[in-house]
């Protein structure tokens, strides 16, 4: 019998369960025999307003130049980020989504015998990347209100810990940690640990704790941001980090030469100038959250009030609810992979999308 190449693969890769993205619109439309326009996708925390018109224009202008490699240093975008945050150019890192920067961090810090500390029910890219590099993933229980237990996370740090993720607001729970707890954590965290503040949803939070001050104090921290959520550019794959020159240098060594493509560089630089679009996106989400909360309260079902652009709802039997909604053309996210089988996560979309979602969900749950 022919031997399988799989047996010769990296055992760390073999043991992984691949990241499960939200179900794509096109695939769902094909399976249901519907037009893509009839499907509502509220599964991946995307922005229903779409990209900024400035970003679209920048991409149209740049499109005829894609036969030339992009600027490997992403000079224009990184200069803009440095200005905006008041840091040096060498303190900025960009990548193909902040997922890539998470990967680079793991590349730079993790190997066998080393540990990463994160909160339970956290973003599923963390354990995947951690295990890929042979390190141990240490999960710390949340507080009863579902927010990170920073004291517990501090206690979980050992001499082998190199990386701690603080997701603020967190996904899929939607909770936050605030300044005082973070300051106290940062005062006590040992110097051999890099603290990564994953701020993918910070634009939606009405209180934004200051993590930039830790960077400016020269602490071993990195702030991770993405253009996939509030900026509506998920399809481009673009994210960035603000950190110390030392950490930026480590990440720079681990990356591929042109890790941010031309379209992503020009579109994100343009999108950073469109504050009105960002504000409109945040407004849409705030209005949408009210729409969902009032329905959930009417139906008497539990949800976690969210600081992001999504809501975790306790429907019971999340996978069944997901499948039933899917059959009616509404794509949500079940939370089996996050250890929350009784929940579904709903991205807050436009008013009509939210209404369609609530109509379908109400029918499925028998509460309408
Ligand atoms: C969406 C998300 C990211 C980043 O996504 P990219 O599209 O790779 O930039 C990072 N962290 C969390 C918690 C997220 O939910």
């Amino acid at each position: 019998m022919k031997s399988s190449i799989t047996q010769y693969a990296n055992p760390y890769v073999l043991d992984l369960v691949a990241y499960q993205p939200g179900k794509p619109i096109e695939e769902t439309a094909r399976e249901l025999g519907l037009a893509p326009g009839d499907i509502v996708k509220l599964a991946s925390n995307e922005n229903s307003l779409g990209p900024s018109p400035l970003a679209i224009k920048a991409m149209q202008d740049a499109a005829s130049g894609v036969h030339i490699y992009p600027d490997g240093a992403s000079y224009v975008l990184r200069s803009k980020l440095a200005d905006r945050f008041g840091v040096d150019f060498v303190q900025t890192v960009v990548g193909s989504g902040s997922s890539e920067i998470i990967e680079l961090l793991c590349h730079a810090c993790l190997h066998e015998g080393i540990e990463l500390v994160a909160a339970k029910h956290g973003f599923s890219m963390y354990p995947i990347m951690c295990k890929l590099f042979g390190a141990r993933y240490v999960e710390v229980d949340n507080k009863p209100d579902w927010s990170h237990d920073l004291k517990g996370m501090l206690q979980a740090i050992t001499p082998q810990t190199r990386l701690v993720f603080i997701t603020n607001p967190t996904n899929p729970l939607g909770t936050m940690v605030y300044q005082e707890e973070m300051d106290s954590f940062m005062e006590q965290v040992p110097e051999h640990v890099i603290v990564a503040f994953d701020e993918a949803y910070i634009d939606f939070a009405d209180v934004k704790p200051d993590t930039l001050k830790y960077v400016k104090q020269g602490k071993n921290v990195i702030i991770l941001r993405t253009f996939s959520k509030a900026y509506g550019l998920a399809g481009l794959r673009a994210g960035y980090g603000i950190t110390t020159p030392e950490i930026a240098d480590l990440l720079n060594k681990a990356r591929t030469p042109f890790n941010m493509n031309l379209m992503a560089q020009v579109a994100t630089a343009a999108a950073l100038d469109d504050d009105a679009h960002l504000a409109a996106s945040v407004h849409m989400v705030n209005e949408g959250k009210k729409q969902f909360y009032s329905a959930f309260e009417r139906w008497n079902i539990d949800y976690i009030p969210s600081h992001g652009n999504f809501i975790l709802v306790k429907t019971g039997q999340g996978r069944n609810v997901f499948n039933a909604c899917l059959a009616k053309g509404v794509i949500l996210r079940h939370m089996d992979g996050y250890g929350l089988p009784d929940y579904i996560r709903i991205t807050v979309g436009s008013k009509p999308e939210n209404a369609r979602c609530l109509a379908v969900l109400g029918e499925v749950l028998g509460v309408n």
Side-chain angles (χ1 to χ4, degrees):
M1 205 173 91
K2 189 175 177 298
S3 76
S4 158
I5 195 66
T6 306
Q7 66 184 291
Y8 300 104
N10 177 344
Y12 297 139
V13 173
L14 273 182
D15 288 346
L16 287 179
V17 178
Y19 180 81
Q20 292 185 330
K23 201 168 163 69
I25 292 177
E26 299 287 340
E27 183 183 308
T28 309
R30 264 195 315 273
E31 287 172 7
L32 295 178
L34 295 173
D38 294 333
I39 307 289
V40 168
K41 184 187 180 203
L42 297 174
S44 301
N45 302 344
E46 291 142 339
N47 183 346
S48 293
L49 272 190
S52 154
L54 300 186
I56 296 173
K57 172 79 169 54
M59 288 190 281
Q60 284 166 339
D61 292 347
S64 61
V66 290
H67 58 301
I68 305 292
Y69 278 106
D71 174 8
S74 301
Y75 179 81
V76 173
L77 172 61
R78 288 175 59 210
S79 303
K80 222 166 196 173
L81 291 170
D83 272 358
R84 170 173 282 240
F85 287 90
V87 296
D88 285 340
F89 181 79
V90 293
Q91 294 181 265
T92 61
V93 184
V94 295
S96 173
S98 55
S99 299
E100 189 193 17
I101 304 180
I102 293 168
E103 180 183 2
L104 295 179
L105 266 174
C106 293
H107 237 311
C109 305
L110 303 183
H111 49 87
E112 218 171 313
I114 289 302
E115 295 169 355
L116 182 162
V117 171
K120 200 167 174 184
H121 309 302
F123 186 42
S124 59
M125 284 295 294
Y126 308 151
I128 292 177
M129 286 302 156
C130 175
K131 290 170 192 170
L132 181 58
F133 294 100
R136 200 161 81 83
Y137 191 69
V138 179
E139 270 184 333
V140 177
D141 278 333
N142 293 294
K143 295 200 285 197
D145 68 357
W146 296 97
S147 68
H148 282 26
D149 176 5
L150 292 188
K151 285 203 182 93
M153 291 174 77
L154 203 55
Q155 281 163 7
I157 293 173
T158 71
Q160 283 70 49
T161 309
R162 292 292 178 278
L163 200 51
V164 176
F165 276 95
I166 296 178
T167 320
N168 215 29
T170 191
N171 168 28
L173 298 168
T175 56
M176 282 200 77
V177 283
Y178 294 99
Q179 195 77 60
E180 222 176 300
E181 291 168 275
M182 283 204 303
D183 285 349
S184 149
F185 177 88
M186 287 306 300
E187 273 160 28
Q188 297 171 73
V189 70
E191 282 193 349
H192 65 272
V193 172
I194 295 178
V195 181
F197 291 101
D198 185 342
E199 299 184 343
Y201 300 97
I202 198 71
D203 296 301
F204 301 108
D206 31 70
V207 178
K208 300 177 189 7
D210 180 9
T211 43
L212 188 60
K213 70 175 180 185
Y214 308 134
V215 175
K216 291 185 174 170
Q217 289 161 358
K219 301 210 168 168
N220 292 322
V221 302
I222 181 165
I223 301 168
L224 301 173
R225 299 273 182 97
T226 177
F227 288 98
S228 299
K229 312 288 162 57
Y231 283 92
L233 297 169
L236 272 185
R237 313 304 305 121
Y240 62 93
I242 304 295
T243 186
T244 64
E246 221 181 350
I247 294 172
D249 191 47
L250 281 173
L251 302 188
N252 196 36
K253 286 184 192 184
R255 74 179 174 96
T256 55
F258 303 100
N259 66 324
M260 204 188 210
N261 71 69
L262 177 65
M263 289 292 147
Q265 287 187 32
V266 299
T268 52
L272 284 172
D273 288 334
D274 198 345
D275 290 336
H277 184 265
L278 184 66
S281 306
V282 172
H283 180 74
M284 177 192 75
V285 167
N286 285 336
E287 291 302 302
K289 280 198 257 191
K290 289 185 213 156
Q291 210 178 337
F292 279 109
Y293 293 166
S294 76
F296 299 151
E297 272 151 37
R298 217 167 46 240
W299 298 345
N300 206 13
I301 62 174
D302 280 347
Y303 63 92
I304 303 180
S306 172
H307 298 275
N309 64 339
F310 53 85
I311 308 167
L312 197 64
V313 197
K314 191 171 187 184
T315 58
Q317 307 191 344
R319 182 185 276 273
N320 292 348
V321 172
F322 160 81
N323 280 322
C325 291
L326 187 66
K328 295 173 187 289
V330 173
I331 314 174
L332 304 174
R333 198 76 164 258
H334 69 72
M335 293 281 114
D336 283 8
Y338 286 86
L340 296 162
D342 282 336
Y343 289 80
I344 51 164
R345 193 192 65 193
I346 304 176
T347 300
V348 179
S350 67
K351 195 171 177 184
E353 285 176 328
N354 302 339
R356 165 98 182 272
C357 170
L358 282 170
V360 162
L361 187 63
E363 237 176 274
V364 164
L365 297 177
V367 289
N368 255 354

